[in-house]
Amino acid sequence: METDTADTGTGKELLELLGVSKQFHVRSGGRRARLSAVESVSLSVRQGTTLGIVGESGCGKSTLARVIVGLHLTDDGQMIFDGKQVLTHRRRSPAELKQMQMVFQDPSSALNPRATISESIGFPLQVQGESKAAIDERVAKVMRDVGLPAAYASHYPHQLSGGQRQRVNIARALALQPKLVVLDEAVSALDKSIQAQVLNLLTDLQEEYGLTYVFISHDLNVVRYISDDVAVMYLGQVVERGSAKELYDNPKHPYTQLLLSSVPTLNPADSTRDEPVDSADAKDTEIPSPIDPPSGCRFRTRCPFAMDICSQVAPAPVQLSADRSVACHLYSDAAAGADVQAVPA
Ligand SMILES: Nc1ncnc2c1ncn2[C@@H]1O[C@H](COP(=O)(O)OP(=O)(O)OP(=O)(O)O)[C@@H](O)[C@H]1O
Ligand SMILES: [Mg+2]
């Protein structure tokens, strides 16, 4: 939940990413090409807090999520988790994998239709070699914690509603007692009223289990509602980072300003758009391909403030305050002396 940053978490970083990159080998126009899905991303998440990640479709949110939990191997960069280095270019050990769990968007396809609810939730524990008694006890506890009646243990996924199925997925993620849960569009497929219930459940569970979340969504209102800090991604890179309140109240990066200008309401109970952002301010709303991203600043082809330097030099993140950074030449020393106009609110 959005609160004063000084009051949230323990202040200790649970997860740190340093210059993490992930490329995919793809075919483009009959040729082999490299698609830069995540490029040199550095981020940190404080213990017990929620980092929201926003950005248009294809900007690399899910790829980053998969890198964090070990479903994708990286090409470059480092990851520190709970004070220890995790090698992200190699397969992880079961002990490492156990500490980070992921909840996906589609509550139905993430569950085996032929397994009962208790079998689905208990499966990761079975893989870890837990005894039947320990599994039964743990499954009963997490089912209670996510608000699923005990009688549902013998039910099958098709007998549950979408919201209940997502509770099963959350319970399954919690069964292994992870420290970090990565939620990738985890409430996006749910009706608004159910979405609000699941968001409240996530907030309660965070407190009870001391969980740290990375929360990904295209819905900017939902991200603001649940996040302590927010990172904005554009074409595989983090362009701005800050506390949810500061970032939404006073966006610095022209891309964040563009993204937020299209949010119709700040009430999470209201619906928000599902379409890509569009703005009269943007020079060109077409997103460049991550196979051949623009030189220098990747956002410059759409930026209403683009300067000469933007095509030549990729802007390094500028630290504006302890928890606020922006990667934009409007704020960097490299642009000092250039004719920089103040960014309109
Ligand atoms: N397995 C893959 N192979 C090749 N390209 C991929 C693969 N997965 C993702 N990509 C590409 O990487 C880029 C980032 O994709 P990603 O799914 O991470 O974006 P996203 O921000 O999660 O988008 P969305 O909001 O639509 O879920 C896209 O250009 C996508 O086409
Ligand atoms: Mg995605």
Side-chain angles (χ1 to χ4, degrees):
M1 286 284 294
E2 181 189 310
T3 48
D4 196 340
T5 42
D7 294 331
T8 52
T10 61
K12 186 183 140 223
E13 313 286 7
L14 178 70
L15 173 74
E16 271 183 274
L17 301 176
L18 301 162
V20 166
S21 298
K22 172 68 190 171
Q23 298 178 341
F24 292 109
H25 296 274
V26 293
R27 290 214 153 261
S28 168
R31 291 222 193 131
R32 284 163 64 91
R34 282 182 184 199
L35 185 153
S36 159
V38 168
E39 180 64 31
S40 217
V41 164
S42 296
L43 275 179
S44 58
V45 195
R46 286 170 298 127
Q47 176 111 43
T49 67
T50 300
L51 173 70
I53 299 183
V54 296
E56 285 157 296
S57 182
C59 71
K61 304 181 295 297
S62 295
T63 305
L64 184 63
R66 290 171 158 268
V67 160
I68 292 171
V69 300
L71 291 172
H72 279 323
L73 303 184
T74 56
D75 298 293
D76 206 356
Q78 284 186 37
M79 175 164 147
I80 315 280
F81 186 78
D82 207 14
K84 293 193 197 78
Q85 179 152 8
V86 176
L87 298 177
T88 50
H89 62 287
R90 296 214 194 128
R91 300 235 164 268
R92 300 204 193 154
S93 69
E96 285 174 326
L97 289 169
K98 196 178 147 181
Q99 297 184 317
M100 297 169 233
Q101 295 296 311
M102 190 152 162
V103 178
F104 298 90
Q105 172 167 4
D106 187 348
S108 310
S109 65
L111 292 171
N112 178 350
R114 283 180 293 280
T116 64
I117 300 310
S118 63
E119 284 166 351
S120 282
I121 298 173
F123 183 68
L125 294 161
Q126 208 183 325
V127 172
Q128 293 278 335
E130 300 278 349
S131 71
K132 183 167 180 325
I135 294 175
D136 289 348
E137 193 182 316
R138 184 95 204 122
V139 169
K141 171 161 175 30
V142 288
M143 282 187 68
R144 257 195 324 274
D145 290 346
V146 302
L148 285 171
Y152 284 25
S154 56
H155 285 31
Y156 288 87
H158 74 267
Q159 297 175 285
L160 273 56
S161 68
Q164 288 166 337
R165 281 195 287 262
Q166 199 57 311
R167 284 174 194 262
V168 174
N169 284 316
I170 295 168
R172 187 173 53 173
L174 293 183
L176 289 169
Q177 296 178 277
K179 293 184 171 143
L180 178 81
V181 181
V182 178
L183 300 129
D184 188 2
E185 303 281 3
V187 298
S188 305
L190 305 176
D191 291 347
K192 285 288 162 190
S193 62
I194 308 294
Q195 210 175 62
Q197 289 172 16
V198 174
L199 287 172
N200 289 336
L201 169 70
L202 289 170
T203 310
D204 293 346
L205 291 170
Q206 180 165 48
E207 204 161 300
E208 190 183 335
Y209 283 71
L211 291 167
T212 304
Y213 291 147
V214 173
F215 188 93
I216 293 167
S217 177
H218 65 272
D219 189 326
L220 295 161
N221 286 336
V222 165
V223 170
R224 178 176 194 167
Y225 177 74
I226 200 161
S227 306
D228 298 292
D229 299 294
V230 173
V232 181
M233 286 186 75
Y234 183 77
L235 264 187
Q237 297 180 318
V238 172
V239 296
E240 182 163 2
R241 154 87 203 243
S243 74
K245 178 159 177 35
E246 278 187 38
L247 191 136
Y248 277 70
D249 287 352
N250 185 14
K252 297 288 188 190
H253 197 286
Y255 177 62
T256 315
Q257 294 173 356
L258 166 66
L259 207 56
L260 294 181
S261 69
S262 53
V263 182
T265 168
L266 291 177
N267 182 349
D270 291 345
S271 67
T272 54
R273 60 178 175 74
D274 282 341
E275 321 85 56
V277 291
D278 190 14
S279 165
D281 289 341
K283 282 201 316 201
D284 174 8
T285 48
E286 191 161 322
I287 308 172
S289 165
I291 295 176
D292 186 20
S295 62
C297 172
R298 289 187 172 191
F299 185 59
R300 69 176 168 81
T301 55
R302 296 172 67 193
C303 182
F305 308 104
M307 303 173 284
D308 286 349
I309 191 174
C310 304
S311 62
Q312 293 150 20
V313 180
V318 178
Q319 205 70 35
L320 299 176
S321 64
D323 63 351
R324 192 83 197 274
S325 67
V326 58
C328 172
H329 285 306
L330 289 170
Y331 307 89
S332 73
D333 291 343
D339 183 18
V340 177
Q341 301 292 315
V343 183

